[in-house]
Structures are given as structure tokens and as C-alpha cells.
Amino acid sequence: LIFPPVGPLAYIIVEILPELFRSRLVRDIRRTVLNMIDPHRDLRRHSEALEISDTVENTIRLADTLRDRGDLQEALELYNKAQTGLFATDPALLLGKADILYRMGSYTAAREALDLLIKENPDFKSPDGHLLYAMSLDAEGNETAAIHEYEILCKYYPGPEPKCRYGLLLKRRGETDKARELFKEVQLSAKRSGRHYHKLHRDCIELAQNELSKI
């Protein structure tokens, strides 16, 4: 309260509102405000936890924090450090590592990490992991395999991203009619959904609108 006008507002959002409204929106607002006040909070907390207890779990938490900050090389080094013993084929670890590799542009390495995940953990299910696998195939230039995965994802994935990525792939192949239908489906879903859906998938909705204006 001693830093007006930001202090009182931050105090209300961080301390009072969560007690009144324990909703996801308020939790997101609280996290955003905390990050504004102390942008290195999570990094410091997870670094200290790893110093106190050098466990795989703490290593992965710090790696995830670094990844979200864009420190991909440091995050990858921590994932490689954690990938030992019982965790050599851990599905969550392999999925996180594949995500970092994809962001770094190492698409084949990302796909290989996911291939290992699938081989060693056949019962593991992750829509985001499945999408990452399709994206890796797509980025590698393996269009036939990517199309197969996108078609499956379009049937069950809880968001429009697979349809957008599949539409872009079809457009590159000159299959504009099929691409147009996918972008129209994204628009239709957006019209039928509420504000939260629009906020959550704004980039995909805008992409679909932009593509429809060009094809």
C-alpha cells in the first residue's frame, strides 16, 4: 500500500479478490500481477528449490520455467540432465523436451523424442503431444504423415489449432477448397462460442479469418 497507485490495486487483486472469487480468471489475473511485480519470482523459487533438493522433479520445474521465459538452451540442458535412470523414457519429460526442441527448430529431434515416448509409453495420451507430433512431421516436410495425424486431431482436439495448421498445409499443396472448408469450420466454431473461447483461441480465429480473405 506504500506504492500508490499501483500498490493498492495490486494488493486488492493479489490478496483480496482470490478470497472472494476462486475462479480460473482471478487466478490468472493474480499470476499476471505477481509476475508484473516480480518477473523473476518463479525462476528464483524453482532455482532455490533445486539447490535445496536436486531431484528430477525440481529440475523439470526449473526447465519448464526457463522454457516459458524463452531460455530454451538452458531448459534443454536441464531436461537432458533429468533424462537418466527411471526418467530416461518418462513421458512428461520426453514431451517437454520435444516441445523445446521444436521451438528451437530441431524438428527431427523433436519427432524422435516423441517416437521414443510413443514406443516406451503406449498408453500415454496427450492431445497437445499429438499435435506437437503432427507439427514436427509437417515441419520436417513429411506431408503425408502430417496429414494423417491432422485428420485424426481435427476429430477430437479441444481447439481449432489442428484445423488451422492442416488448412495451411493443404493450402501449400494447392488444395484450396479443402483448406477453405477447414477455415470456415474454425470461424463457425468461434461464432457459436463465448468470449472465453475467443480469448483462448484468438490467434487461430484471426488466422482463419485472414486466410479466408485470401483464398
Side-chain angles (χ1 to χ4, degrees):
L1 295 176
I2 62 174
F3 301 108
V6 177
L9 178 60
Y11 177 80
I12 291 171
I13 293 175
V14 173
E15 299 297 339
I16 297 178
L17 284 181
E19 295 300 322
L20 299 176
F21 307 102
R22 293 192 175 277
S23 67
R24 180 177 178 180
L25 176 60
V26 171
R27 289 197 300 271
D28 290 343
I29 293 173
R30 182 176 187 271
R31 187 180 304 110
T32 300
V33 171
L34 285 172
N35 288 336
M36 290 172 59
I37 297 171
D38 184 1
H40 305 298
R41 171 175 165 270
D42 287 341
L43 179 62
R44 185 173 60 252
R45 179 161 57 92
H46 293 311
S47 296
E48 291 172 352
L50 183 59
E51 289 178 6
I52 294 170
S53 180
D54 189 0
T55 65
V56 171
E57 291 84 355
N58 285 337
T59 300
I60 293 175
R61 290 191 187 100
L62 178 56
D64 288 343
T65 301
L66 288 166
R67 178 195 61 191
D68 293 342
R69 289 167 55 89
D71 300 324
L72 300 180
Q73 186 59 46
E74 291 182 64
L76 180 60
E77 290 171 3
L78 286 173
Y79 265 107
N80 287 333
K81 173 190 172 185
Q83 195 180 357
T84 59
L86 295 175
F87 288 86
T89 58
D90 179 78
L93 189 151
L94 287 170
L95 181 56
K97 181 177 178 179
D99 180 42
I100 292 172
L101 288 166
Y102 181 89
R103 296 188 193 200
M104 294 176 72
S106 300
Y107 305 122
T108 298
R111 192 259 306 154
E112 288 173 347
L114 293 170
D115 279 334
L116 180 59
L117 187 162
I118 294 166
K119 178 184 176 182
E120 299 295 335
N121 305 275
D123 296 326
F124 180 77
K125 306 296 181 185
S126 169
D128 289 332
H130 191 179
L131 177 59
L132 181 60
Y133 189 69
M135 290 162 54
S136 299
L137 290 167
D138 192 356
E140 280 187 288
N142 192 343
E143 294 183 350
T144 301
I147 286 171
H148 174 72
E149 301 301 334
Y150 282 140
E151 287 178 346
I152 297 173
L153 281 158
C154 287
K155 296 176 182 178
Y156 82 93
Y157 191 85
E161 188 171 356
K163 291 182 179 179
C164 284
R165 292 188 178 275
Y166 187 20
L168 292 173
L169 173 54
L170 291 171
K171 180 186 173 183
R172 292 200 307 269
R173 290 166 59 91
E175 301 179 47
T176 54
D177 289 342
K178 291 176 66 175
R180 186 183 298 108
E181 288 303 313
L182 286 167
F183 293 133
K184 283 183 177 179
E185 288 178 19
V186 173
Q187 268 201 330
L188 183 60
S189 295
K191 289 179 180 179
R192 292 174 174 173
S193 302
R195 187 183 306 170
H196 179 70
Y197 184 91
H198 279 256
K199 181 179 179 181
L200 191 62
H201 304 295
R202 180 178 59 189
D203 291 345
C204 287
I205 295 169
E206 290 178 354
L207 185 147
Q209 292 174 340
N210 185 49
E211 291 299 325
L212 282 171
S213 69
K214 296 188 294 186
I215 59 176

